[in-house]
Amino acid sequence: MSALRAGKLGDAERLCKAVLRGAPKHVEALNLLGVVLGRLGRNAEAVASFERALAAAPDSVDAWYGRGMTLVAMNRPQQAIKSFDRVIAAEPHFSQVQLLRAKLLMELGRHDAALDALDRFVAEFANLAEAWFGRSNLLYSVARYDEALSDAERAIALKPGFAEAWLARANALDELKRHDEALAAYDKALGLYPNFPAAWHGRGNALSALKRQDEALVAYDKALTLAPALGEAWLGRGLVLNALDRYPEALSAFDRAEASLPGQVEVWLGRGRAFYELERYDEALAAYKKGLTVKPHLAETLADCGKIYVRLGQLDKALIAYDRALAVKPDLKCAKGDRLHVKLQLSDWNNLDAEISDVVACVRAQKTPTAPFEFLAMSSSPEDQLICTKQCLADQPSLPALWRGEKYTHDRIHSANRQRLLLPSEFFQSGELGKL
């Protein structure tokens, strides 16, 4: 034991084996050897040593605990749970094992069993902040964010300096779209633990949701400085770079994210957006299709595929993509108009009048079914055109103005000609075209 405490693992192994040569069923020596072998990364041998101890003493709590912890390290959660069940049967108040068992159940997707375990645990250890924190994490993982928030706040009330609980509170607030409050909670966690990668990552998420993209980028970079392999932060960084129109850098970030998060749909969708904006349409389509193999009912992505097919001149495929998008989400912004515009280009007049009437009715009902350019082919009404344009602008309030009232000058325009320009400009200002 002294050699183990001193970190002299080789000496500890040798001494344990010396004892066992004289007493092969010495339970304490077998358990200690299991611990030493686990520390050395020789997990299979460690499990064998604990099982030898259990063969000699089937009720050894230390052996069941050591076996369970080693199986956790070996990523064998189901067997680990069985070991922990034996520990809890012998020592019901072993709180660390109860929390770990619930965590393993959660990782296995057995959420009801995990929640039941935590409910019993918090009933017994109501004054233990870690219990409420564990329950909060479980509820968060099954998208019960209001309850997760409540439990995180219970943990903080018991232990105000609990940085992980502040992080749990912030994450729940962010999912509830209470981004300003989430940002304050992330800052509280970072005040307690400045080098907290998950909190920096969460702070980036909240800032991005608040459209403070430059600050979000700083937060993601801080997270990645502390944890360079944090795939979620690379993903967040890529999405922010997309929002900042820095698409080549975004693609590099998505490459790093994919290395850590293989199969993550959001990575492929982010790559698809970057490729699309760079006019690399075949690559964009391939990225979106990867995402759709995992989540085939993403309406926005299906509509984006429709846009790409239009750019590639594959109108038949574009129409199919828009049909699929609208089947998933009939009120998807602009999709009806985009689809109908494709149909017009295909000279497909089937049910055309009814579909145009539907789009016009949606515009008048303020439902944004189409973009203004496409709508030009569907209605000649200036009033409808104005409604459609205003809807589009309301959805994109950050679009830069093309003209801010500055005086137009050019070396080939003489002062005498400016009066001629003024007449039509006054005409346009007074009519519906000017408003449009």
Side-chain angles (χ1 to χ4, degrees), residues 103-152:
K103 180 175 181 291
L104 293 173
L105 288 166
M106 180 171 62
E107 290 173 358
L108 288 169
R110 296 168 57 185
H111 297 126
D112 289 339
L115 188 57
D116 179 64
L118 283 170
D119 285 345
R120 286 185 279 108
F121 184 65
V122 297
E124 185 175 357
F125 299 98
N127 292 323
L128 186 64
E130 287 75 9
W132 293 105
F133 169 67
R135 193 173 186 274
S136 174
N137 283 341
L138 173 58
L139 291 164
Y140 179 89
S141 73
V142 294
R144 291 165 60 176
Y145 302 121
D146 285 308
E147 295 168 90
L149 175 61
S150 177
D151 282 358

Side-chain angles (χ1 to χ4, degrees), residues 107-424:
E107 290 173 358
L108 288 169
R110 296 168 57 185
H111 297 126
D112 289 339
L115 188 57
D116 179 64
L118 283 170
D119 285 345
R120 286 185 279 108
F121 184 65
V122 297
E124 185 175 357
F125 299 98
N127 292 323
L128 186 64
E130 287 75 9
W132 293 105
F133 169 67
R135 193 173 186 274
S136 174
N137 283 341
L138 173 58
L139 291 164
Y140 179 89
S141 73
V142 294
R144 291 165 60 176
Y145 302 121
D146 285 308
E147 295 168 90
L149 175 61
S150 177
D151 282 358
E153 290 174 343
R154 290 285 295 269
I156 291 167
L158 291 165
K159 191 176 179 180
F162 195 172
E164 289 81 359
W166 281 102
L167 174 64
R169 181 178 187 272
N171 287 339
L173 286 166
D174 207 42
E175 291 292 345
L176 292 168
K177 312 300 182 189
R178 294 162 60 179
H179 303 300
D180 286 310
E181 294 173 81
L183 186 60
Y186 286 126
D187 287 343
K188 181 65 176 181
L190 289 166
L192 294 164
Y193 179 21
N195 294 327
F196 198 168
W200 282 109
H201 165 242
R203 190 174 197 275
N205 290 346
L207 288 164
S208 179
L210 291 167
K211 310 300 182 187
R212 294 161 60 178
Q213 307 295 5
D214 290 316
E215 294 174 80
L217 192 60
V218 172
Y220 289 132
D221 286 345
K222 179 64 175 178
L224 291 166
T225 299
L226 297 167
L230 186 58
E232 291 83 359
W234 283 112
L235 171 58
R237 190 175 195 276
L239 295 174
V240 164
L241 288 166
N242 267 356
L244 293 170
D245 300 334
R246 292 162 59 178
Y247 303 112
E249 294 173 80
L251 287 172
S252 296
F254 291 132
D255 287 342
R256 294 293 298 270
E258 191 168 9
S260 300
L261 303 170
Q264 182 88 349
V265 172
E266 287 75 12
V267 175
W268 290 328
L269 301 186
R271 286 171 63 84
R273 160 82 191 285
F275 282 132
Y276 177 82
E277 296 295 344
L278 291 169
E279 300 183 8
R280 294 163 61 177
Y281 298 124
D282 289 320
E283 292 165 283
L285 194 59
Y288 282 140
K289 284 182 175 179
K290 278 188 175 181
L292 289 168
T293 59
V294 180
K295 293 185 177 180
H297 303 299
L298 296 171
E300 289 80 1
T301 305
L302 289 164
D304 285 340
C305 288
K307 293 176 184 177
I308 293 171
Y309 283 127
V310 170
R311 295 297 180 96
L312 293 172
Q314 300 177 32
L315 298 180
D316 289 326
K317 291 183 179 180
L319 190 61
I320 292 169
Y322 284 124
D323 282 340
R324 289 178 62 195
L326 288 164
V328 175
K329 192 174 182 179
D331 60 346
L332 179 62
K333 185 177 71 174
C334 293
K336 279 187 179 180
D338 289 346
R339 177 192 173 277
L340 194 50
H341 196 248
V342 169
K343 190 172 178 178
L344 289 168
Q345 292 177 76
L346 287 168
S347 299
D348 180 353
W349 316 124
N350 183 44
N351 203 36
L352 184 63
D353 289 340
E355 291 185 22
I356 289 176
S357 296
D358 180 44
V359 169
V360 172
C362 287
V363 166
R364 292 173 180 172
Q366 309 285 324
K367 292 182 179 179
T368 320
T370 187
F373 177 78
E374 284 76 12
F375 191 56
L376 287 170
M378 300 163 206
S379 172
S380 58
S381 163
E383 291 81 10
D384 290 343
Q385 295 290 346
L386 184 59
I387 293 170
C388 183
T389 303
K390 285 181 176 179
Q391 288 177 43
C392 182
L393 289 172
D395 289 336
Q396 303 180 70
S398 61
L399 282 176
L402 295 178
W403 182 62
R404 299 178 178 82
E406 63 271 20
K407 185 176 181 180
Y408 180 75
T409 59
H410 192 281
D411 57 5
R412 296 186 64 184
I413 296 179
H414 301 290
S415 58
N417 293 329
R418 288 186 184 134
Q419 290 296 330
R420 299 177 193 173
L421 291 172
L422 183 61
L423 290 173

